[in-house]
Amino acid sequence: MKNIALLTLIVLVAFGCNNDDDATPTPASVDLRFTHNWDGDAIENSDFDQIQYTNAHGEQLSLSKLVYLISDVTFTNSNGVAFDAGDYNLVNVREQSNLTFTPNVQIPPGDYNVTFTFGFDDEDNIDGVYQDLNSADGGWNVPMMLGGGYHYMRMEGKFIDNTSAEIGYAYHTIRAADTSTTPVTTQDTSFEVDLGTVSIGNDTEIEVKMNVAEWYKNPNEWNLNDLHTVLMPNFMAQIMMSQNGTSVFSRGAVTQN
């Protein structure tokens, strides 16, 4: 009887250990926290409407609005398995809304390559389907005469032009539209932002940094005197803004609460 009892105990202990080893880890959620700077200097609410920034072309400018859309936050593990909630987030910097975003997906703890899309790619950029965006910021829609869909970003303010006058600018990014053709020819100018590999655990927060100055410098040095308004129907301007946007975002601090 003692031998039988001992064998039973060994089996139970072994079974219990195996269950612990094979237990499914608790899924984790991830917060993205968006911060904004001008070549390293943090942009605060008190900085809006102040002509205090100088772009790569030498023009002094202010920010009065900075609103932008990100979508398709994706976590891809080393085996190529991707976790994507398929949702989106509209960041309004001046209003301090949606500066923290939790994608609607939970993933097993581990190391993941983290990416997101600036704007909507063509698959998601479907005219009129996002009811909250239809009314956001005065209407986030793009007119059908420009191909429809939604804005990617609205950045506005004033700058000192080459006559020393203070005039407004509207740096608006959308899907590029060639209005010289019938129907309008469009080109997807959204782009993927790669934040690199991040170790994801419980309550992980990833800082996403936007260097606003990069919109004006790399690879296209932006001349606001030539390109400060009516940019939405300007096909080549949209291509150039998309190219400049690829160096705007970077990963900041990663914290686990």
Side-chain angles (χ1 to χ4, degrees):
M1 293 295 293
K2 288 182 179 179
N3 288 341
I4 293 175
L6 180 59
L7 179 60
T8 302
L9 178 61
I10 291 172
V11 170
L12 289 173
V13 170
F15 182 79
C17 289
N18 287 338
N19 276 353
D20 289 342
D21 291 342
D22 296 337
T24 301
T26 302
S29 60
V30 180
D31 292 336
L32 301 184
R33 181 171 60 89
F34 297 91
T35 64
H36 307 86
N37 69 87
W38 188 281
D39 281 339
D41 292 331
I43 297 174
E44 309 289 351
N45 260 34
S46 58
D47 295 319
F48 281 86
D49 292 325
Q50 306 294 322
I51 294 182
Q52 60 178 306
Y53 303 113
T54 303
N55 66 15
H57 194 254
E59 290 131 353
Q60 295 178 294
L61 61 102
S62 68
L63 294 171
S64 63
K65 174 182 288 191
L66 181 55
V67 185
Y68 61 94
L69 179 76
I70 68 104
S71 63
D72 280 341
V73 180
T74 303
F75 305 89
T76 305
N77 66 19
S78 59
N79 295 321
V81 178
F83 297 82
D84 173 15
D87 49 7
Y88 55 87
N89 184 48
L90 186 66
V91 178
N92 189 322
V93 180
R94 185 167 193 170
E95 299 298 326
Q96 297 187 39
S97 63
N98 301 326
L99 295 179
T100 299
F101 174 56
T102 306
N104 188 25
V105 63
Q106 292 192 318
I107 58 178
D111 293 341
Y112 293 87
N113 183 245
V114 183
T115 61
F116 65 83
T117 298
F118 178 77
F120 282 138
D121 63 20
D122 270 349
E123 181 181 357
D124 296 326
N125 202 7
I126 306 168
D127 192 68
V129 302
Y130 305 103
Q131 295 303 311
D132 57 333
L133 296 181
N134 293 339
S135 58
D137 194 47
W140 201 245
N141 310 65
V142 171
M144 284 304 298
M145 63 181 295
L146 294 176
Y150 291 86
H151 286 77
Y152 301 162
M153 180 177 71
R154 286 172 172 162
M155 176 163 50
E156 300 174 6
K158 294 183 178 181
F159 77 103
I160 307 300
D161 73 1
N162 51 16
T163 68
S164 298
E166 185 178 307
I167 63 174
Y169 71 88
Y171 194 111
H172 290 188
T173 64
I174 64 171
R175 176 171 48 195
D178 184 353
T179 59
S180 68
T181 64
T182 304
V184 173
T185 302
T186 60
Q187 180 173 323
D188 186 357
T189 44
S190 68
F191 54 84
E192 184 177 86
V193 175
D194 190 338
L195 298 177
T197 300
V198 178
S199 294
I200 303 297
N202 292 329
D203 299 321
T204 300
E205 180 184 82
I206 304 170
E207 180 188 10
V208 180
K209 302 165 67 175
M210 175 194 274
N211 182 358
V212 179
E214 286 291 328
W215 286 110
Y216 296 95
K217 69 166 74 169
N218 186 26
N220 304 296
E221 186 176 293
W222 203 264
N223 183 345
L224 278 172
N225 286 278
D226 295 335
L227 295 168
H228 64 276
T229 190
V230 198
L231 299 183
M232 288 173 60
N234 188 328
F235 185 87
M236 285 311 303
Q238 292 299 325
I239 299 296
M240 292 166 62
M241 287 189 281
S242 177
Q243 292 170 343
N244 282 14
T246 58
S247 62
V248 163
F249 293 97
S250 63
R251 189 183 78 211
V254 178
T255 58
Q256 311 241 354
N257 298 323

